[in-house]
Amino acid sequence: LFLSLCLSFSLIHSYSHRTEIKLANPHAYANPPQACADWFSVAAGKCTPGCPRVMIFNCGGDRDAAALLQPYAALHAGGLPFTHAAFCPNVVSQKRSYTDQSNMMVSAVCLDQQPEKARSAWLQLTADGPPCAMAQVRSIEDTVAWIESLRPSVGPDDRIQVLVSGSLHLIGGMLLSLGCEVV
């Protein structure tokens, strides 16, 4: 199941008052990544020009990362570039275990390899586009810390826009890491 928590579960969670996390769930559409990219292009267009725009991405198992990333690469090349991209496994924390967030259908080796495959695919897809700083992080909590490290680069009234797109485990892990109460 590919998710980016958009449209039907549209949620903008502002934490620390200057970071917007946009989660989208367009799985009911024929092309979920394209639906999410279309939604994000509208939502992100309201941002102050030049504000950091971050994509957090993963996909599980043997999914084709390049195919899933294609709509985001088109956004990147088409005037709505991501300034940063991070690729992480579906691991909430390196410090503690969340058994309800574990995907028992994917091997540990595959879990470790998928972020590198996605990062490589993004690098190929965006080679001719605007520069994009990339990170490969070890957990979803580390991803949140990495986003927080970008704060000094924004002005006092600007926000960091973050698109979280990938598996249900990534979305759930991100909500858990942000301390969101999911009801």
Side-chain angles (χ1 to χ4, degrees), residues 42-88:
V42 173
K46 299 171 185 167
C47 181
T48 304
C51 74
R53 191 169 291 117
V54 180
M55 177 185 65
I56 308 300
F57 180 85
N58 82 0
C59 59
D62 59 355
R63 311 271 330 231
D64 183 356
L68 295 171
L69 284 166
Q70 182 58 49
Y72 307 117
L75 269 183
H76 181 73
L80 197 64
F82 291 97
T83 56
H84 300 79
F87 304 92
C88 67

Side-chain angles (χ1 to χ4, degrees), residues 69 87 115-125 134 136:
L69 284 166
F87 304 92
E116 174 55 30
K117 288 180 183 178
R119 190 192 69 75
S120 294
W122 180 254
L123 192 58
Q124 278 189 313
L125 289 168
M134 291 187 289
Q136 188 173 329

Side-chain angles (χ1 to χ4, degrees), residues 138-157:
R138 297 186 53 198
S139 72
I140 297 167
E141 282 183 353
D142 291 345
T143 303
V144 171
W146 177 75
I147 294 166
E148 289 292 329
S149 76
L150 302 176
R151 282 196 184 284
S153 68
V154 300
D157 297 327

